[in-house]
Amino acid sequence: MRRNNDICSARKGRVPQDPRGRWLKAAILLLLLFAAAGGGFVIWSRLPTQDGIPEGAIPEDGVTEVLAHHNDNLRDKFVEIPCSEDYDSHKRFAGCTPRKCGRGVTDAVITREEAERIRRIAERGLSLGGSDGGVSSVLLLSTFFYCQGKIINAFFGAEASILDLHSGALSLGKHFVNLYRYFGDKIQDIFTEEDFALYRDVRQRIQQRIAQVFGISSSAMYLTKPTFFSRMNSTGAKTTHDEYWHPHVDKVTYGSFDYTSLLYLSDYSKDFGGGRFVFMDADSNKTVEPRAGRVAFFTSGSENLHRVEKVQWGTRFAVTISFSCDPEHGIRDPFLG
């Protein structure tokens, strides 16, 4: 069991041990988790708006097309779109940095039974903590970071439950505890190595499918942070900072992102209402209706501006799994034991 007590990780996996900043970093960790459940979260200064609507976006009463219905069983569906210029401001990596951009949906990579097993992992993780806000990000399987003031101009979501298996950080009410100290050996009754093995296998299959669709080598892609489980429900936002439904661009928010994927663990219209994933294009919105086992994936630049609709009822579970072409931003899979 890893017991890295600091949240801020250095480039090559070393972690500066500065206890004076521990709780500040824990607070910023919570910030990072706030709206990332939609595939990233908003850095507002980078999204020009007029009357509250981002440039090029269609308001909620505009034209909407369904890219994937919840009752469809899609082997593969892919829409190619022109790449944005976001990648030009970052170092390019041959054989990985997107030159073909777009978005895809598949129901043929992860089975519904596997999705149900992963959902149970998330539910067990959530049972360790809790919050009463609209978003709970739980069972964080990679380390979020706040190093040297790199995260700026972001809104803070105060009502989130998090569990980081690398650092042991767990939000419990309005406080943070160290998971391993707080629960001790009982943590072995919550998670097993089989849980983590399933996650690793699922992550690898998603990575391979993304590489296949975009014509790149899967070995050139690196799992990156943030990668996490999320839970959304219809509980009203306590403040404007709890609003997870605002548009955002993953590559703008996290420069390391090149490919983003979401694995859904519950069913739209059965387990929850609202909560659809929305690509916001100049001509119309394109929505994905979650379905347990469904994987939505896309290049992370401004060509895929997106948001999540408000959840109207029920509970929505998903896993966000993100990839970078830059090995310096790669993280290892978690292991228990």
Side-chain angles (χ1 to χ4, degrees):
M1 176 81 65
R2 293 178 185 168
R3 284 170 169 76
N4 173 9
N5 294 328
D6 201 314
I7 295 172
C8 178
S9 58
R11 276 187 175 180
K12 295 184 179 179
R14 294 182 181 178
V15 179
Q17 300 297 324
D18 181 5
R20 294 172 298 178
R22 182 175 302 158
W23 297 112
L24 171 62
K25 293 167 186 174
I28 300 301
L29 171 61
L30 182 58
L31 177 156
L32 284 166
L33 285 165
F34 153 52
F41 77 94
V42 187
I43 292 184
W44 292 94
S45 61
R46 302 293 294 275
L47 292 176
T49 63
Q50 181 177 4
D51 299 326
I53 304 298
E55 284 186 350
I58 303 297
E60 290 191 8
D61 58 354
V63 177
T64 297
E65 302 174 16
V66 179
L67 183 63
H69 291 272
H70 70 279
N71 54 2
D72 292 337
N73 190 354
L74 301 172
R75 177 156 187 83
D76 287 294
K77 185 170 186 176
F78 180 74
V79 178
E80 185 171 355
I81 52 180
C83 293
S84 66
E85 298 179 355
D86 293 340
Y87 310 97
D88 296 336
S89 58
H90 297 269
K91 182 179 179 181
R92 285 187 168 271
F93 293 86
C96 183
T97 298
R99 294 190 178 276
K100 169 185 176 181
C101 292
R103 59 194 62 148
V105 181
T106 179
D107 297 317
V109 175
I110 310 302
T111 68
R112 291 182 66 86
E113 190 234 346
E114 289 169 329
E116 290 170 1
R117 288 170 60 194
I118 294 175
R119 174 174 169 169
R120 289 195 290 272
I121 297 172
E123 290 173 332
R124 291 200 301 273
L126 182 60
S127 72
L128 300 176
S131 81
D132 53 7
V135 180
S136 296
S137 295
V138 297
L139 192 55
L140 183 63
L141 292 176
S142 66
T143 308
F144 283 78
F145 67 102
Y146 176 76
C147 291
Q148 300 174 356
K150 290 182 180 177
I151 302 302
I152 59 174
N153 295 333
F155 280 79
F156 183 69
E159 301 293 349
S161 296
I162 65 167
L163 172 60
D164 181 340
L165 294 183
H166 292 266
S167 69
L170 171 69
S171 59
L172 192 63
K174 297 185 181 299
H175 304 282
F176 279 88
V177 298
N178 184 293
L179 173 71
Y180 308 125
R181 292 197 189 113
Y182 195 86
F183 292 100
D185 293 338
K186 292 181 180 180
I187 192 65
Q188 300 283 355
D189 298 328
I190 304 296
F191 304 114
T192 67
E193 180 51 42
E194 288 74 19
D195 294 334
F196 284 14
L198 174 62
Y199 168 79
R200 292 192 295 269
D201 178 55
V202 164
R203 190 274 298 169
Q204 289 167 0
R205 277 184 274 156
I206 292 173
Q207 180 171 343
Q208 290 166 359
R209 180 55 60 93
I210 292 173
Q212 178 184 32
V213 169
F214 287 100
I216 62 176
S217 171
S218 63
S219 62
M221 301 167 62
Y222 299 89
L223 182 69
T224 195
K225 53 193 173 188
T227 290
F228 60 96
F229 288 76
S230 65
R231 185 190 74 175
M232 295 180 182
N233 58 39
S234 59
T235 303
K238 300 293 184 180
T239 72
T240 57
H241 309 320
D242 293 329
E243 298 173 358
Y244 58 81
W245 48 83
H246 295 288
H248 55 277
V249 174
D250 292 349
K251 187 69 176 175
V252 172
T253 306
Y254 307 102
S256 62
F257 274 38
D258 291 296
Y259 302 92
T260 307
S261 69
L262 296 106
L263 168 61
Y264 296 109
L265 307 178
S266 49
D267 293 314
Y268 171 76
S269 84
K270 176 184 176 182
D271 298 314
F272 63 92
R276 296 182 301 175
F277 189 91
V278 183
F279 292 106
M280 306 184 74
D281 296 338
D283 56 344
S284 68
N285 289 337
K286 312 293 194 305
T287 66
V288 175
E289 298 177 352
R291 165 189 169 107
R294 169 166 289 173
V295 178
F297 58 93
F298 51 94
T299 47
S300 304
S302 298
E303 68 276 4
N304 282 312
L305 172 69
H306 60 274
R307 68 182 182 89
V308 177
E309 293 177 330
K310 297 179 186 178
V311 173
Q312 301 299 325
W313 56 269
T315 305
R316 175 191 189 270
F317 287 90
V319 191
T320 299
I321 303 175
S322 311
F323 299 98
S324 176
C325 295
D326 188 344
E328 296 230 350
H329 289 289
I331 60 172
R332 293 179 294 179
D333 286 316
F335 288 85
L336 186 67

